[in-house]
Amino acid sequence: EVFNGQGAVPFTGYLPDGTLLYQWNGSTYVVSTYDTSIGADANNWYNGDESATASTPLILPGKGFFLFPTATFTNTYVGTVVINIGQSTNNVATGGAYNMMGSLLPVAGAVSNATINFFPPDGTLLYQWNGTTYNVSTYDSSLGADANNWYNGDESAVAPTPVIRIGEGFFLLPLVPYTWTESL
């Protein structure tokens, strides 16, 4: 998932006890547990093993996360999406390392459309979770076999152009830092 607003986790107070939140810090997951039954922290957030209190997790715009609730729940996002009218940028500052991210805009579609405008540096790998495993796509404009320049992870065949859903988070592994600019 990805949160398009700013600040604290948007569903605190609605989560089932024992829900785990995984946030990528560039090299490993930071795990937080939501549990109202412990009572040691007013915000009910604890380190992943519930041994100590943790600060309420912050989800920054355009950053992805994994949420593992212990039961089904409904979450309704409300508020104002904080974006720049015209163009919004998501800096992918770490070339050669995994980034967990998502669209800054609440839009869906093929990564090559004019709004999402997702044309990373050649050799960039995109990992999308399908519920069981990752679908891996490679962007490479030098191969020339596909008009949108997306290939299977090993660049052996043309893959369908990846589609990003509203609220979908994904891993991105670029070879160099770059700025992803979306237009509204």
Side-chain angles (χ1 to χ4, degrees):
E1 288 196 46
V2 66
F3 176 52
N4 298 92
Q6 289 186 354
V9 175
F11 27 67
T12 298
Y14 303 98
L15 294 172
D17 284 345
T19 294
L20 299 175
L21 173 69
Y22 288 77
Q23 293 177 287
W24 186 253
N25 70 7
S27 60
T28 189
Y29 288 104
V30 174
V31 183
S32 302
T33 302
Y34 182 80
D35 198 326
T36 60
S37 68
I38 296 172
D41 178 62
N43 294 319
N44 300 309
W45 283 103
Y46 301 88
N47 292 332
D49 60 3
E50 296 185 6
S51 63
T53 60
S55 59
T56 301
L58 296 179
I59 298 175
L60 301 174
K63 300 303 175 193
F65 57 91
F66 280 113
L67 185 70
F68 292 101
T70 55
T72 301
F73 75 102
T74 299
N75 183 62
T76 303
Y77 292 98
V78 295
T80 303
V81 176
V82 181
I83 59 170
N84 297 322
I85 300 301
Q87 293 185 335
S88 292
T89 58
N90 198 344
N91 290 318
V92 185
T94 310
Y98 289 96
N99 296 268
M100 193 173 205
M101 55 192 312
S103 174
L104 286 167
L105 305 177
V107 296
V111 295
S112 59
N113 76 33
T115 299
I116 296 176
N117 194 34
F118 189 73
F119 300 100
D122 285 348
T124 296
L125 297 175
L126 172 69
Y127 293 79
Q128 291 179 287
W129 184 250
N130 66 20
T132 306
T133 188
Y134 286 97
N135 295 329
V136 182
S137 302
T138 301
Y139 182 82
D140 195 331
S141 63
S142 69
L143 297 178
D146 176 57
N148 291 320
N149 300 312
W150 286 98
Y151 301 87
N152 290 328
D154 62 0
E155 297 183 356
S156 62
V158 174
T161 300
V163 172
I164 297 173
R165 298 181 313 259
I166 292 177
E168 178 184 4
F170 50 86
F171 277 106
L172 194 65
L173 179 58
L175 297 177
V176 297
Y178 78 102
T179 300
W180 172 18
T181 302
E182 297 177 84
S183 300
L184 183 62

Short mmCIF file of all heavy atoms in Angstrom, two decimals, residues 98-163:
data_model
loop_
_atom_site.label_atom_id
_atom_site.label_comp_id
_atom_site.label_asym_id
_atom_site.label_seq_id
_atom_site.Cartn_x
_atom_site.Cartn_y
_atom_site.Cartn_z
N TYR A 98 17.20 -0.76 -2.95
CA TYR A 98 15.75 -0.87 -3.04
C TYR A 98 15.08 0.33 -2.40
O TYR A 98 15.49 0.81 -1.35
CB TYR A 98 15.27 -2.14 -2.34
CG TYR A 98 15.63 -3.40 -3.08
CD1 TYR A 98 16.77 -4.11 -2.73
CD2 TYR A 98 14.85 -3.86 -4.12
CE1 TYR A 98 17.12 -5.28 -3.40
CE2 TYR A 98 15.18 -5.02 -4.80
CZ TYR A 98 16.32 -5.72 -4.44
OH TYR A 98 16.65 -6.86 -5.11
N ASN A 99 14.02 0.81 -3.04
CA ASN A 99 13.18 1.88 -2.53
C ASN A 99 11.75 1.35 -2.50
O ASN A 99 11.28 0.78 -3.48
CB ASN A 99 13.21 3.10 -3.46
CG ASN A 99 14.58 3.73 -3.55
OD1 ASN A 99 14.89 4.64 -2.82
ND2 ASN A 99 15.41 3.23 -4.46
N MET A 100 11.05 1.51 -1.40
CA MET A 100 9.64 1.12 -1.33
C MET A 100 8.84 2.40 -1.50
O MET A 100 8.96 3.33 -0.69
CB MET A 100 9.33 0.45 0.00
CG MET A 100 7.99 -0.24 0.02
SD MET A 100 7.79 -1.16 1.56
CE MET A 100 6.61 -2.38 1.01
N MET A 101 8.05 2.48 -2.56
CA MET A 101 7.40 3.73 -2.90
C MET A 101 6.09 3.50 -3.62
O MET A 101 5.65 2.38 -3.80
CB MET A 101 8.34 4.57 -3.75
CG MET A 101 8.85 3.86 -5.00
SD MET A 101 10.21 4.72 -5.81
CE MET A 101 9.66 6.38 -5.89
N GLY A 102 5.48 4.59 -4.02
CA GLY A 102 4.24 4.57 -4.76
C GLY A 102 3.97 5.94 -5.34
O GLY A 102 4.69 6.90 -5.07
N SER A 103 2.92 6.05 -6.10
CA SER A 103 2.56 7.31 -6.73
C SER A 103 2.19 8.34 -5.68
O SER A 103 1.51 8.04 -4.70
CB SER A 103 1.37 7.09 -7.68
OG SER A 103 0.92 8.32 -8.20
N LEU A 104 2.63 9.57 -5.88
CA LEU A 104 2.21 10.68 -5.02
C LEU A 104 0.78 11.09 -5.29
O LEU A 104 0.13 11.68 -4.44
CB LEU A 104 3.12 11.89 -5.24
CG LEU A 104 4.53 11.79 -4.66
CD1 LEU A 104 5.41 12.89 -5.23
CD2 LEU A 104 4.48 11.87 -3.16
N LEU A 105 0.29 10.79 -6.48
CA LEU A 105 -1.06 11.18 -6.88
C LEU A 105 -2.02 10.01 -6.71
O LEU A 105 -1.65 8.87 -6.92
CB LEU A 105 -1.06 11.61 -8.35
CG LEU A 105 -0.08 12.71 -8.74
CD1 LEU A 105 -0.15 12.96 -10.24
CD2 LEU A 105 -0.35 13.97 -7.96
N PRO A 106 -3.26 10.28 -6.38
CA PRO A 106 -4.25 9.21 -6.28
C PRO A 106 -4.79 8.85 -7.67
O PRO A 106 -5.95 9.10 -8.00
CB PRO A 106 -5.33 9.81 -5.37
CG PRO A 106 -5.24 11.28 -5.64
CD PRO A 106 -3.80 11.56 -5.93
N VAL A 107 -3.92 8.28 -8.50
CA VAL A 107 -4.29 7.89 -9.86
C VAL A 107 -3.83 6.46 -10.12
O VAL A 107 -2.97 5.93 -9.42
CB VAL A 107 -3.66 8.83 -10.92
CG1 VAL A 107 -4.19 10.24 -10.78
CG2 VAL A 107 -2.15 8.83 -10.83
N ALA A 108 -4.40 5.85 -11.13
CA ALA A 108 -4.03 4.50 -11.52
C ALA A 108 -3.79 4.47 -13.02
O ALA A 108 -4.28 5.33 -13.76
CB ALA A 108 -5.13 3.52 -11.15
N GLY A 109 -3.05 3.47 -13.47
CA GLY A 109 -2.86 3.30 -14.90
C GLY A 109 -1.49 2.76 -15.23
O GLY A 109 -0.67 2.48 -14.36
N ALA A 110 -1.27 2.61 -16.53
CA ALA A 110 0.02 2.13 -17.01
C ALA A 110 1.09 3.14 -16.63
O ALA A 110 0.85 4.35 -16.65
CB ALA A 110 -0.01 1.94 -18.52
N VAL A 111 2.27 2.66 -16.25
CA VAL A 111 3.34 3.56 -15.82
C VAL A 111 3.80 4.50 -16.92
O VAL A 111 4.44 5.51 -16.65
CB VAL A 111 4.54 2.79 -15.23
CG1 VAL A 111 4.15 2.06 -13.98
CG2 VAL A 111 5.13 1.85 -16.26
N SER A 112 3.47 4.17 -18.16
CA SER A 112 3.90 5.01 -19.28
C SER A 112 2.89 6.09 -19.64
O SER A 112 3.13 6.87 -20.55
CB SER A 112 4.15 4.13 -20.51
OG SER A 112 2.97 3.44 -20.85
N ASN A 113 1.75 6.19 -18.91
CA ASN A 113 0.79 7.22 -19.30
C ASN A 113 1.27 8.60 -18.87
O ASN A 113 2.18 8.76 -18.06
CB ASN A 113 -0.63 6.89 -18.78
CG ASN A 113 -0.82 7.13 -17.31
OD1 ASN A 113 -0.25 8.04 -16.71
ND2 ASN A 113 -1.66 6.32 -16.69
N ALA A 114 0.66 9.64 -19.40
CA ALA A 114 1.14 11.01 -19.22
C ALA A 114 1.05 11.49 -17.78
O ALA A 114 1.84 12.34 -17.36
CB ALA A 114 0.36 11.96 -20.13
N THR A 115 0.12 10.98 -16.99
CA THR A 115 -0.01 11.40 -15.60
C THR A 115 1.05 10.75 -14.73
O THR A 115 1.78 11.42 -14.00
CB THR A 115 -1.41 11.07 -15.05
OG1 THR A 115 -2.38 11.76 -15.82
CG2 THR A 115 -1.54 11.48 -13.59
N ILE A 116 1.15 9.43 -14.80
CA ILE A 116 2.11 8.71 -13.96
C ILE A 116 3.53 8.97 -14.43
O ILE A 116 4.44 9.12 -13.63
CB ILE A 116 1.76 7.21 -13.89
CG1 ILE A 116 0.38 7.05 -13.22
CG2 ILE A 116 2.83 6.44 -13.15
CD1 ILE A 116 -0.14 5.64 -13.17
N ASN A 117 3.75 9.02 -15.75
CA ASN A 117 5.01 9.49 -16.31
C ASN A 117 6.24 8.81 -15.69
O ASN A 117 7.17 9.46 -15.26
CB ASN A 117 5.10 11.01 -16.13
CG ASN A 117 6.19 11.63 -16.98
OD1 ASN A 117 6.46 11.16 -18.08
ND2 ASN A 117 6.81 12.67 -16.47
N PHE A 118 6.21 7.50 -15.66
CA PHE A 118 7.22 6.73 -14.95
C PHE A 118 8.23 6.17 -15.93
O PHE A 118 8.03 5.11 -16.51
CB PHE A 118 6.52 5.61 -14.18
CG PHE A 118 7.39 4.86 -13.23
CD1 PHE A 118 7.79 5.43 -12.05
CD2 PHE A 118 7.78 3.56 -13.51
CE1 PHE A 118 8.58 4.73 -11.16
CE2 PHE A 118 8.57 2.85 -12.64
CZ PHE A 118 8.97 3.44 -11.46
N PHE A 119 9.31 6.89 -16.16
CA PHE A 119 10.36 6.47 -17.08
C PHE A 119 11.69 6.52 -16.33
O PHE A 119 12.43 7.48 -16.42
CB PHE A 119 10.38 7.34 -18.33
CG PHE A 119 9.10 7.29 -19.09
CD1 PHE A 119 8.17 8.31 -18.98
CD2 PHE A 119 8.79 6.20 -19.89
CE1 PHE A 119 6.97 8.26 -19.67
CE2 PHE A 119 7.59 6.14 -20.58
CZ PHE A 119 6.68 7.17 -20.47
N PRO A 120 11.99 5.46 -15.57
CA PRO A 120 13.21 5.45 -14.76
C PRO A 120 14.45 5.22 -15.63
O PRO A 120 14.35 4.95 -16.83
CB PRO A 120 12.97 4.27 -13.82
CG PRO A 120 12.11 3.35 -14.61
CD PRO A 120 11.22 4.24 -15.44
N PRO A 121 15.63 5.30 -15.03
CA PRO A 121 16.87 5.03 -15.78
C PRO A 121 16.89 3.58 -16.29
O PRO A 121 16.31 2.68 -15.67
CB PRO A 121 17.97 5.24 -14.75
CG PRO A 121 17.35 6.04 -13.65
CD PRO A 121 15.89 5.69 -13.65
N ASP A 122 17.56 3.37 -17.42
CA ASP A 122 17.71 2.01 -17.97
C ASP A 122 18.26 1.06 -16.91
O ASP A 122 19.15 1.43 -16.13
CB ASP A 122 18.62 2.01 -19.18
CG ASP A 122 17.95 2.58 -20.42
OD1 ASP A 122 16.71 2.77 -20.40
OD2 ASP A 122 18.66 2.84 -21.40
N GLY A 123 17.74 -0.15 -16.91
CA GLY A 123 18.18 -1.17 -15.97
C GLY A 123 17.43 -1.17 -14.65
O GLY A 123 17.67 -2.01 -13.79
N THR A 124 16.50 -0.25 -14.47
CA THR A 124 15.72 -0.18 -13.22
C THR A 124 14.77 -1.36 -13.14
O THR A 124 14.10 -1.71 -14.11
CB THR A 124 14.92 1.14 -13.15
OG1 THR A 124 15.84 2.22 -13.10
CG2 THR A 124 14.01 1.18 -11.94
N LEU A 125 14.73 -1.99 -11.97
CA LEU A 125 13.82 -3.11 -11.72
C LEU A 125 12.64 -2.62 -10.89
O LEU A 125 12.81 -1.88 -9.91
CB LEU A 125 14.53 -4.23 -10.97
CG LEU A 125 15.69 -4.89 -11.71
CD1 LEU A 125 16.38 -5.90 -10.80
CD2 LEU A 125 15.20 -5.56 -12.98
N LEU A 126 11.44 -3.05 -11.28
CA LEU A 126 10.20 -2.73 -10.58
C LEU A 126 9.63 -4.04 -10.05
O LEU A 126 9.41 -4.98 -10.81
CB LEU A 126 9.21 -2.08 -11.54
CG LEU A 126 7.78 -1.85 -11.04
CD1 LEU A 126 7.76 -0.78 -9.96
CD2 LEU A 126 6.88 -1.46 -12.20
N TYR A 127 9.42 -4.12 -8.73
CA TYR A 127 8.88 -5.31 -8.07
C TYR A 127 7.49 -4.99 -7.56
O TYR A 127 7.32 -4.12 -6.71
CB TYR A 127 9.75 -5.71 -6.87
CG TYR A 127 11.13 -6.19 -7.22
CD1 TYR A 127 12.15 -5.30 -7.53
CD2 TYR A 127 11.42 -7.55 -7.23
CE1 TYR A 127 13.41 -5.73 -7.84
CE2 TYR A 127 12.70 -7.99 -7.54
CZ TYR A 127 13.69 -7.08 -7.84
OH TYR A 127 14.94 -7.53 -8.15
N GLN A 128 6.48 -5.71 -8.09
CA GLN A 128 5.10 -5.52 -7.66
C GLN A 128 4.60 -6.81 -7.02
O GLN A 128 4.65 -7.88 -7.64
CB GLN A 128 4.21 -5.14 -8.84
CG GLN A 128 4.52 -3.76 -9.39
CD GLN A 128 3.64 -3.43 -10.57
OE1 GLN A 128 3.84 -3.96 -11.65
NE2 GLN A 128 2.69 -2.54 -10.36
N TRP A 129 4.11 -6.71 -5.80
CA TRP A 129 3.59 -7.86 -5.06
C TRP A 129 2.23 -8.25 -5.62
O TRP A 129 1.35 -7.41 -5.78
CB TRP A 129 3.47 -7.50 -3.58
CG TRP A 129 3.05 -8.62 -2.70
CD1 TRP A 129 1.85 -8.75 -2.07
CD2 TRP A 129 3.81 -9.78 -2.34
NE1 TRP A 129 1.82 -9.92 -1.34
CE2 TRP A 129 3.02 -10.56 -1.49
CE3 TRP A 129 5.09 -10.22 -2.67
CZ2 TRP A 129 3.46 -11.78 -0.96
CZ3 TRP A 129 5.53 -11.42 -2.13
CH2 TRP A 129 4.72 -12.17 -1.28
N ASN A 130 2.05 -9.54 -5.95
CA ASN A 130 0.77 -9.99 -6.49
C ASN A 130 -0.04 -10.81 -5.48
O ASN A 130 -1.02 -11.43 -5.84
CB ASN A 130 0.97 -10.77 -7.80
CG ASN A 130 1.72 -12.08 -7.58
OD1 ASN A 130 1.80 -12.61 -6.48
ND2 ASN A 130 2.28 -12.60 -8.66
N GLY A 131 0.40 -10.80 -4.22
CA GLY A 131 -0.29 -11.56 -3.18
C GLY A 131 0.42 -12.85 -2.83
O GLY A 131 0.19 -13.42 -1.77
N THR A 132 1.29 -13.31 -3.72
CA THR A 132 2.03 -14.55 -3.50
C THR A 132 3.53 -14.34 -3.68
O THR A 132 4.34 -14.84 -2.92
CB THR A 132 1.56 -15.64 -4.48
OG1 THR A 132 0.14 -15.77 -4.37
CG2 THR A 132 2.21 -16.96 -4.18
N THR A 133 3.87 -13.60 -4.72
CA THR A 133 5.27 -13.36 -5.07
C THR A 133 5.37 -12.01 -5.77
O THR A 133 4.36 -11.32 -5.95
CB THR A 133 5.80 -14.50 -5.96
OG1 THR A 133 7.21 -14.34 -6.13
CG2 THR A 133 5.11 -14.53 -7.31
N TYR A 134 6.55 -11.65 -6.19
CA TYR A 134 6.74 -10.39 -6.90
C TYR A 134 6.74 -10.61 -8.41
O TYR A 134 7.39 -11.52 -8.91
CB TYR A 134 8.07 -9.74 -6.51
CG TYR A 134 8.06 -9.14 -5.13
CD1 TYR A 134 8.56 -9.84 -4.05
CD2 TYR A 134 7.55 -7.87 -4.92
CE1 TYR A 134 8.55 -9.30 -2.78
CE2 TYR A 134 7.53 -7.31 -3.66
CZ TYR A 134 8.02 -8.03 -2.59
OH TYR A 134 8.00 -7.48 -1.34
N ASN A 135 6.03 -9.73 -9.13
CA ASN A 135 6.19 -9.64 -10.57
C ASN A 135 7.32 -8.64 -10.78
O ASN A 135 7.29 -7.54 -10.23
CB ASN A 135 4.92 -9.11 -11.23
CG ASN A 135 3.76 -10.07 -11.08
OD1 ASN A 135 3.94 -11.27 -11.02
ND2 ASN A 135 2.56 -9.53 -11.00
N VAL A 136 8.33 -9.03 -11.56
CA VAL A 136 9.50 -8.19 -11.77
C VAL A 136 9.52 -7.72 -13.22
O VAL A 136 9.42 -8.53 -14.15
CB VAL A 136 10.81 -8.94 -11.44
CG1 VAL A 136 12.01 -8.01 -11.61
CG2 VAL A 136 10.76 -9.51 -10.03
N SER A 137 9.66 -6.42 -13.40
CA SER A 137 9.76 -5.82 -14.72
C SER A 137 11.03 -4.98 -14.77
O SER A 137 11.43 -4.40 -13.77
CB SER A 137 8.56 -4.92 -15.01
OG SER A 137 7.35 -5.63 -14.90
N THR A 138 11.64 -4.92 -15.95
CA THR A 138 12.85 -4.11 -16.16
C THR A 138 12.56 -3.03 -17.17
O THR A 138 11.96 -3.29 -18.21
CB THR A 138 14.01 -4.99 -16.69
OG1 THR A 138 14.27 -6.03 -15.76
CG2 THR A 138 15.27 -4.16 -16.91
N TYR A 139 12.99 -1.81 -16.86
CA TYR A 139 12.89 -0.72 -17.82
C TYR A 139 14.22 -0.60 -18.54
O TYR A 139 15.28 -0.48 -17.91
CB TYR A 139 12.55 0.60 -17.13
CG TYR A 139 12.39 1.73 -18.11
CD1 TYR A 139 11.19 1.91 -18.78
CD2 TYR A 139 13.43 2.60 -18.41
CE1 TYR A 139 11.02 2.92 -19.71
CE2 TYR A 139 13.28 3.62 -19.33
CZ TYR A 139 12.07 3.77 -19.97
OH TYR A 139 11.91 4.77 -20.90
N ASP A 140 14.19 -0.63 -19.89
CA ASP A 140 15.42 -0.48 -20.66
C ASP A 140 15.08 0.07 -22.05
O ASP A 140 14.56 -0.66 -22.90
CB ASP A 140 16.17 -1.81 -20.78
CG ASP A 140 17.60 -1.63 -21.23
OD1 ASP A 140 17.89 -0.65 -21.95
OD2 ASP A 140 18.43 -2.47 -20.86
N SER A 141 15.38 1.33 -22.27
CA SER A 141 15.07 1.97 -23.55
C SER A 141 16.05 1.57 -24.65
O SER A 141 15.80 1.82 -25.83
CB SER A 141 15.06 3.49 -23.39
OG SER A 141 16.35 3.95 -23.02
N SER A 142 17.14 0.90 -24.30
CA SER A 142 18.14 0.55 -25.31
C SER A 142 17.83 -0.73 -26.07
O SER A 142 18.42 -0.99 -27.10
CB SER A 142 19.52 0.42 -24.64
OG SER A 142 19.55 -0.72 -23.80
N LEU A 143 16.88 -1.55 -25.57
CA LEU A 143 16.60 -2.83 -26.23
C LEU A 143 15.74 -2.67 -27.48
O LEU A 143 15.91 -3.40 -28.44
CB LEU A 143 15.95 -3.80 -25.24
CG LEU A 143 16.81 -4.20 -24.04
CD1 LEU A 143 16.04 -5.12 -23.12
CD2 LEU A 143 18.10 -4.84 -24.50
N GLY A 144 14.77 -1.76 -27.45
CA GLY A 144 14.00 -1.43 -28.64
C GLY A 144 12.94 -2.41 -29.08
O GLY A 144 12.32 -2.21 -30.12
N ALA A 145 12.68 -3.48 -28.35
CA ALA A 145 11.68 -4.46 -28.78
C ALA A 145 10.26 -4.07 -28.37
O ALA A 145 9.30 -4.59 -28.91
CB ALA A 145 12.02 -5.84 -28.20
N ASP A 146 10.13 -3.15 -27.42
CA ASP A 146 8.82 -2.75 -26.93
C ASP A 146 8.74 -1.22 -26.92
O ASP A 146 9.66 -0.56 -26.44
CB ASP A 146 8.60 -3.30 -25.51
CG ASP A 146 7.30 -2.84 -24.90
OD1 ASP A 146 6.25 -3.09 -25.52
OD2 ASP A 146 7.34 -2.21 -23.83
N ALA A 147 7.64 -0.67 -27.40
CA ALA A 147 7.49 0.78 -27.47
C ALA A 147 7.55 1.44 -26.10
O ALA A 147 7.99 2.59 -25.97
CB ALA A 147 6.18 1.14 -28.17
N ASN A 148 7.11 0.74 -25.06
CA ASN A 148 7.13 1.31 -23.72
C ASN A 148 8.39 0.95 -22.93
O ASN A 148 8.57 1.38 -21.80
CB ASN A 148 5.89 0.88 -22.93
CG ASN A 148 4.64 1.52 -23.49
OD1 ASN A 148 4.65 2.69 -23.86
ND2 ASN A 148 3.57 0.77 -23.58
N ASN A 149 9.25 0.11 -23.50
CA ASN A 149 10.56 -0.24 -22.93
C ASN A 149 10.51 -1.06 -21.66
O ASN A 149 11.44 -1.03 -20.86
CB ASN A 149 11.39 1.03 -22.70
CG ASN A 149 11.63 1.79 -23.98
OD1 ASN A 149 12.03 1.22 -24.99
ND2 ASN A 149 11.34 3.09 -23.96
N TRP A 150 9.44 -1.83 -21.45
CA TRP A 150 9.34 -2.70 -20.27
C TRP A 150 9.52 -4.15 -20.69
O TRP A 150 8.95 -4.60 -21.67
CB TRP A 150 8.00 -2.51 -19.56
CG TRP A 150 7.98 -1.22 -18.81
CD1 TRP A 150 7.42 -0.04 -19.24
CD2 TRP A 150 8.57 -0.96 -17.55
NE1 TRP A 150 7.63 0.93 -18.30
CE2 TRP A 150 8.33 0.40 -17.25
CE3 TRP A 150 9.28 -1.73 -16.64
CZ2 TRP A 150 8.77 1.00 -16.07
CZ3 TRP A 150 9.71 -1.13 -15.46
CH2 TRP A 150 9.46 0.21 -15.20
N TYR A 151 10.28 -4.89 -19.90
CA TYR A 151 10.63 -6.28 -20.21
C TYR A 151 10.49 -7.12 -18.95
O TYR A 151 10.43 -6.60 -17.83
CB TYR A 151 12.07 -6.35 -20.75
CG TYR A 151 12.23 -5.50 -21.98
CD1 TYR A 151 12.56 -4.16 -21.90
CD2 TYR A 151 12.00 -6.04 -23.24
CE1 TYR A 151 12.65 -3.37 -23.04
CE2 TYR A 151 12.10 -5.26 -24.38
CZ TYR A 151 12.42 -3.92 -24.28
OH TYR A 151 12.50 -3.16 -25.41
N ASN A 152 10.47 -8.44 -19.15
CA ASN A 152 10.49 -9.33 -18.00
C ASN A 152 11.75 -9.03 -17.20
O ASN A 152 12.71 -8.46 -17.73
CB ASN A 152 10.46 -10.80 -18.44
CG ASN A 152 9.12 -11.17 -19.03
OD1 ASN A 152 8.09 -10.65 -18.63
ND2 ASN A 152 9.13 -12.09 -19.98
N GLY A 153 11.79 -9.45 -15.96
CA GLY A 153 12.88 -9.13 -15.07
C GLY A 153 14.26 -9.43 -15.60
O GLY A 153 15.22 -8.73 -15.30
N ASP A 154 14.39 -10.47 -16.42
CA ASP A 154 15.71 -10.82 -16.97
C ASP A 154 15.92 -10.23 -18.37
O ASP A 154 16.89 -10.54 -19.04
CB ASP A 154 15.88 -12.34 -17.02
CG ASP A 154 14.85 -13.02 -17.92
OD1 ASP A 154 14.00 -12.33 -18.53
OD2 ASP A 154 14.90 -14.25 -18.01
N GLU A 155 15.03 -9.36 -18.79
CA GLU A 155 15.07 -8.68 -20.09
C GLU A 155 15.01 -9.64 -21.28
O GLU A 155 15.41 -9.30 -22.39
CB GLU A 155 16.29 -7.75 -20.21
CG GLU A 155 16.29 -6.64 -19.20
CD GLU A 155 17.46 -5.68 -19.37
OE1 GLU A 155 18.34 -5.91 -20.22
OE2 GLU A 155 17.48 -4.69 -18.63
N SER A 156 14.49 -10.86 -21.06
CA SER A 156 14.47 -11.85 -22.12
C SER A 156 13.30 -11.71 -23.08
O SER A 156 13.36 -12.20 -24.19
CB SER A 156 14.43 -13.26 -21.51
OG SER A 156 13.24 -13.43 -20.76
N ALA A 157 12.24 -11.07 -22.67
CA ALA A 157 11.07 -10.95 -23.53
C ALA A 157 10.30 -9.69 -23.15
O ALA A 157 10.46 -9.16 -22.05
CB ALA A 157 10.17 -12.17 -23.37
N VAL A 158 9.46 -9.25 -24.05
CA VAL A 158 8.63 -8.09 -23.77
C VAL A 158 7.60 -8.47 -22.71
O VAL A 158 6.94 -9.50 -22.81
CB VAL A 158 7.93 -7.62 -25.06
CG1 VAL A 158 6.95 -6.51 -24.76
CG2 VAL A 158 8.96 -7.18 -26.09
N ALA A 159 7.49 -7.64 -21.70
CA ALA A 159 6.49 -7.84 -20.66
C ALA A 159 5.40 -6.80 -20.86
O ALA A 159 5.64 -5.76 -21.48
CB ALA A 159 7.12 -7.67 -19.28
N PRO A 160 4.22 -7.04 -20.35
CA PRO A 160 3.22 -5.98 -20.44
C PRO A 160 3.70 -4.77 -19.64
O PRO A 160 4.39 -4.91 -18.64
CB PRO A 160 1.97 -6.59 -19.80
CG PRO A 160 2.39 -7.85 -19.15
CD PRO A 160 3.73 -8.22 -19.66
N THR A 161 3.36 -3.59 -20.12
CA THR A 161 3.71 -2.38 -19.40
C THR A 161 3.08 -2.46 -18.02
O THR A 161 1.89 -2.71 -17.90
CB THR A 161 3.22 -1.14 -20.15
OG1 THR A 161 3.83 -1.12 -21.44
CG2 THR A 161 3.55 0.13 -19.40
N PRO A 162 3.85 -2.29 -16.94
CA PRO A 162 3.29 -2.39 -15.60
C PRO A 162 2.17 -1.36 -15.37
O PRO A 162 2.21 -0.25 -15.91
CB PRO A 162 4.47 -2.10 -14.68
CG PRO A 162 5.68 -2.40 -15.51
CD PRO A 162 5.29 -2.06 -16.91
N VAL A 163 1.21 -1.75 -14.56
CA VAL A 163 0.09 -0.89 -14.19
C VAL A 163 0.16 -0.68 -12.68
O VAL A 163 0.33 -1.63 -11.92
CB VAL A 163 -1.25 -1.55 -14.58
CG1 VAL A 163 -2.43 -0.77 -14.02
CG2 VAL A 163 -1.36 -1.66 -16.10
#
